[in-house]
Amino acid sequence: MNMQESYMRRCLELAVLGAGTTSPNPMVGAVIVCDDQIIGEGFTSPYGGAHAEVNAIQQVLDHYGDEAATKLRQSIFYVSLEPCAHYGKTPPCANLIARYKPKKVYIACLDPFAKVNGKGAEILKNAGIAIEIGLLEQEALWLNRRFLTRVQKNRPYVILKWAESADGYLGKEGEQVWISNVASKQLVHKWRAEEDAILVGAKTALVDNPSLTVREWNGKNPKRILIDKLLSVPAEAAIFNDEAETIIFNALKTEWSGHNKYIELENYDWYLPQNILYQLYLMDVQSIIIEGGAKTLSLFIEANLWDEARVFKSKRTLDGGIKAPQVKGELKEIMKISDDQLEIIVNI
């Protein structure tokens, strides 16, 4: 690995530190190098706060005082995503970088958002700054797959999640059955903290009575999404507690009641997953875990509305029950979680 790749990889490492807090903004990391030394670095603050480039520059200003402007002019910047070129919650980062006129800016990948998409790079070029685009591009695109999906497909990034027995079953009809181990359960809570929303169907809510919160990891609770056509889940169910917002897609009513939001879908049985994802897109939900049972998972699989499947495979056998779903995609990764095997499959 050359030094340029090393610095950009550091940008990607920094960007991940914003997981679960930046949405609907992307996760971005920035590194400033002067005389082969990192003099400033940053990542995107929680939504509404400073972007990665601002935080990195501020670190240089704080540390070097009167010498900061000279240091920045002599520096090379590394950014994991094209600097923004528009006024949103904060001013354009491209303008800020251009003001200091560094020697060069490396950009891992362009930002497809219409108000940026090449405009940030153009601002830097027009300021006479050398730029290079594409350093560790594929890694950067994967890192921001949630943001890119929302911008390019007008829907959230969809993660399917389930645990299946060694003989290929999800559980027993009408029974709560634990298949995965304790370590896998904690990992799932970590995932919940990293995504915007988590969805189950009415049957799962009735049988398992899940709260769908982050209890075994530090982080925010995701929005809870319930598919309940006839509002069969009782008001005292854990999914309606006050620990998080719950959105209930149904065929009977639209009503706001505290942290519970009921949304009636017209023609409920037509294009249900498409309608749900579009409504969530309009609510700025950038990513969602589908954690429901076989019927709910199949809704999204059959509509080909999924991006990633995370499948825990247990050593335990059930000798019958509800068959686990099947997905066709590219096996990206296999890892051991204690005695479970986790497979990550991406839709291609």
Side-chain angles (χ1 to χ4, degrees):
M1 185 191 311
N2 61 36
M3 289 308 297
Q4 287 77 26
E5 287 187 356
S6 177
Y7 292 134
M8 187 59 80
R9 200 164 295 283
R10 176 59 181 163
C11 287
L12 299 176
E13 292 171 353
L14 288 165
V16 172
L17 297 178
T21 67
T22 65
S23 178
N25 285 339
M27 297 179 287
V28 183
V31 168
I32 302 172
V33 178
C34 184
D35 297 328
D36 299 323
Q37 296 290 326
I38 293 176
I39 62 170
E41 58 182 28
F43 59 93
T44 303
S45 302
Y47 180 63
H51 290 186
E53 301 93 322
V54 176
N55 288 330
I57 289 171
Q58 190 61 51
Q59 194 174 89
V60 176
L61 296 174
D62 291 343
H63 189 268
Y64 290 95
D66 294 341
E67 299 177 21
T70 300
K71 286 282 188 182
L72 290 167
R73 191 165 55 251
Q74 296 171 346
S75 294
I76 296 174
F77 280 47
Y78 294 81
V79 187
S80 61
L81 185 71
E82 178 184 9
C84 63
H86 66 292
Y87 283 86
K89 295 285 186 181
T90 59
C93 292
N95 288 355
L96 178 64
I97 296 172
R99 185 194 312 164
Y100 288 104
K101 295 190 181 299
K103 293 194 293 186
K104 187 170 185 176
V105 178
Y106 284 92
I107 300 169
C109 64
L110 293 178
D111 184 340
F113 183 53
K115 292 182 178 180
V116 186
N117 202 8
K119 296 181 180 69
E122 186 177 349
I123 288 171
L124 299 178
K125 284 182 182 177
N126 291 341
I129 301 167
I131 67 169
E132 184 172 321
I133 301 167
L135 182 63
L136 299 187
E137 181 179 38
Q138 292 307 308
E139 291 91 332
L141 291 171
W142 173 254
L143 173 73
N144 270 315
R145 58 198 184 276
R146 299 161 181 82
F147 172 74
L148 297 171
T149 298
R150 181 176 178 272
V151 170
Q152 295 170 331
K153 298 183 178 180
N154 295 333
R155 65 165 175 81
Y157 185 85
V158 177
I159 301 166
L160 308 178
K161 194 277 308 183
W162 72 85
E164 63 181 67
S165 64
D167 49 351
Y169 295 98
L170 291 180
K172 301 285 189 178
E173 191 69 44
E175 297 179 26
Q176 185 180 33
V177 179
W178 288 104
I179 296 174
S180 56
N181 61 42
V182 172
S184 295
K185 181 182 178 182
Q186 185 179 43
L187 179 57
V188 169
H189 284 234
K190 176 179 182 290
W191 291 343
R192 290 178 182 177
E194 294 170 346
E195 311 304 337
D196 286 350
I198 181 168
L199 180 150
V200 296
K203 181 180 281 189
T204 296
L206 289 167
V207 173
D208 294 347
N209 195 29
S211 62
L212 302 181
T213 54
V214 178
R215 300 181 303 282
E216 300 190 21
W217 196 263
N218 291 324
K220 66 174 180 60
N221 290 321
K223 293 180 188 293
R224 300 176 294 201
I225 315 300
L226 174 63
I227 303 177
D228 188 5
K229 181 178 181 178
L230 301 178
L231 301 179
S232 59
V233 180
E236 62 271 17
I239 199 170
F240 297 131
N241 67 31
D242 60 5
E243 295 181 72
E245 177 184 356
T246 302
I247 299 167
I248 306 99
F249 289 104
N250 68 92
L252 299 179
K253 68 177 182 179
T254 295
E255 178 182 293
W256 264 233
S257 177
H259 54 270
N260 296 325
K261 299 179 179 179
Y262 295 84
I263 299 178
E264 179 183 356
L265 296 176
E266 294 184 12
N267 302 315
Y268 182 94
D269 294 315
W270 292 86
Y271 303 107
L272 180 58
Q274 290 90 339
N275 288 332
I276 287 173
L277 292 181
Y278 185 64
Q279 289 292 327
L280 295 176
Y281 163 78
L282 295 177
M283 297 177 193
D284 276 342
V285 172
Q286 188 163 263
S287 61
I288 184 168
I289 301 174
I290 310 298
E291 203 175 288
K295 181 180 177 181
T296 302
L297 289 163
S298 294
L299 268 178
F300 290 86
I301 294 170
E302 290 168 6
N304 197 31
L305 285 172
W306 65 280
D307 300 288
E308 184 179 334
R310 301 175 181 178
V311 184
F312 292 100
K313 296 195 172 181
S314 171
K315 290 184 176 181
R316 179 183 177 184
T317 59
L318 291 182
D319 299 319
I322 303 167
K323 288 293 291 183
Q326 300 290 319
V327 291
K328 293 181 179 179
E330 177 185 317
L331 182 60
K332 183 174 180 63
E333 189 174 3
I334 298 177
M335 64 185 81
K336 294 293 290 182
I337 311 296
S338 185
D339 59 349
D340 287 344
Q341 177 173 290
L342 173 61
E343 296 183 359
I344 308 294
I345 303 164
V346 293
N347 195 355
I348 54 174

